[in-house]
Amino acid sequence: MDWTNLPPLTALRAFAAYADTRSMAEAGARLNVSHAAISQQIRTLEDHLGLTLIDRKAKSLTPEGQMLAETTLTGFADIARLTAELTGRDADRPLHISTTPLFASSWLMPRLADFRARHPDLSLMVDPSPELRELSPGGIDMAVRYGNGSWPGLEAELLVETPIAVVASPDLIGDKHYETPADLTDFHWLQELGTNEATQYLLDHGATVNRARGLTSLPGNLMVEAARAGQGIAVTARAFVEPDLESGRLRLLFQDQRKKGYHLVRRIGIMRPSAKALHRWLITQSRSAAT
């Protein structure tokens, strides 16, 4: 980067404040300067760039001004959030963790009382969603994702190693031996809402969902309940149905032996103190469960 060609920071800040408020007077008030100072800084920025950023007759941003406004507002907002995070000024902001619904209900929630007992002063937001939420300053602190642990730009630590299993109630499939997943296409299938796990599993094994039998997508915990009730074949993490397999409520039909599992992922860099506490607790819980 050629730092010498960057516009003056003071002028950029004045322009961003104007773009945010669309008022010279309000921008000046926010920066504790006069509206004339804001106007002068914006003209300095226009001279530096050789562009007109504000259509003064229409009192609106030019197309070039709008593009610069979007970039500067995003950049300054990211800087503000990150500095608040690093300095602890956002200590009152709740911890925010994103997980799949099945992980939340089967692994996290049964343990969460221990975290609250150890850290009664910390507020927590659990976002049970199958979507891959973006981890950004001032937003989600960390997430639990299923895979091999490789997510570019993120640090990942294994919490639960578990293969993907195909399971069903004995009341539905009996004790018959099935040679391949394709032998199960005469049954209704179940998969976690927001994923294509069942569809992809069958494709990986040379089969497709039988449209005449259909497919139901449910939140992970409801999917397991549906499988227990004999409503279909489910594709899920084996770790979360192990008690069902041991008791005979569910029968294991097939299993993916690839080394995968649920990982705790976060942005690379320094964590705010409250996030460190949650991160440390989750890793400790994982190691305790593994012993």
Side-chain angles (χ1 to χ4, degrees), residues 207-289:
T208 58
V209 172
N210 185 339
R211 292 188 178 182
R213 295 297 182 180
L215 171 71
T216 297
S217 295
L218 298 162
N221 56 326
L222 297 182
M223 177 192 66
V224 173
E225 287 295 333
R228 290 171 182 151
Q231 295 180 20
I233 309 290
V235 180
T236 186
R238 174 166 179 160
F240 302 144
V241 294
E242 199 67 55
D244 296 283
L245 297 176
E246 292 175 358
S247 68
R249 286 190 299 268
L250 292 175
R251 177 183 160 194
L252 178 66
L253 300 170
F254 298 99
Q255 182 170 288
D256 187 342
Q257 298 294 347
R258 288 176 292 181
K259 291 286 186 179
K260 289 188 176 183
Y262 286 89
H263 294 76
L264 181 62
V265 300
R266 64 180 182 88
R267 300 189 317 276
I268 296 172
I270 299 172
M271 289 185 286
R272 57 189 178 124
S274 56
K276 285 182 181 178
L278 177 60
H279 181 274
R280 183 167 52 248
W281 177 81
L282 286 167
I283 297 301
T284 300
Q285 290 291 313
S286 169
R287 291 172 180 169
S288 297

Side-chain angles (χ1 to χ4, degrees), residues 7 11-12 15-16 19 45-46 49 51 53 61-76:
L12 276 176
F15 173 72
L45 180 60
E46 290 176 319
L49 298 174
L51 297 169
L53 302 175
L61 297 176
T62 64
E64 295 82 3
Q66 184 61 43
M67 288 189 289
L68 183 61
E70 292 172 0
T71 298
T72 54
L73 287 172
T74 299
F76 281 125

Side-chain angles (χ1 to χ4, degrees), residues 133-197:
R133 304 293 199 194
E134 181 181 358
L135 306 184
S136 59
I140 295 175
D141 291 284
M142 59 195 74
V144 178
R145 296 180 179 174
Y146 185 83
N148 60 10
S150 178
W151 289 277
L154 297 174
E155 290 189 357
E157 295 181 74
L158 182 66
L159 291 178
V160 179
E161 185 175 37
T162 177
I164 290 295
V166 178
V167 299
S169 167
D171 293 338
L172 176 69
I173 48 96
D175 57 3
K176 178 182 175 180
H177 175 70
Y178 297 91
E179 294 288 343
T180 69
D183 295 337
L184 298 168
T185 55
D186 283 339
F187 293 97
H188 186 76
W189 280 66
L190 308 167
Q191 69 182 6
E192 187 164 9
L193 184 67
T195 75
N196 64 345
E197 288 178 338

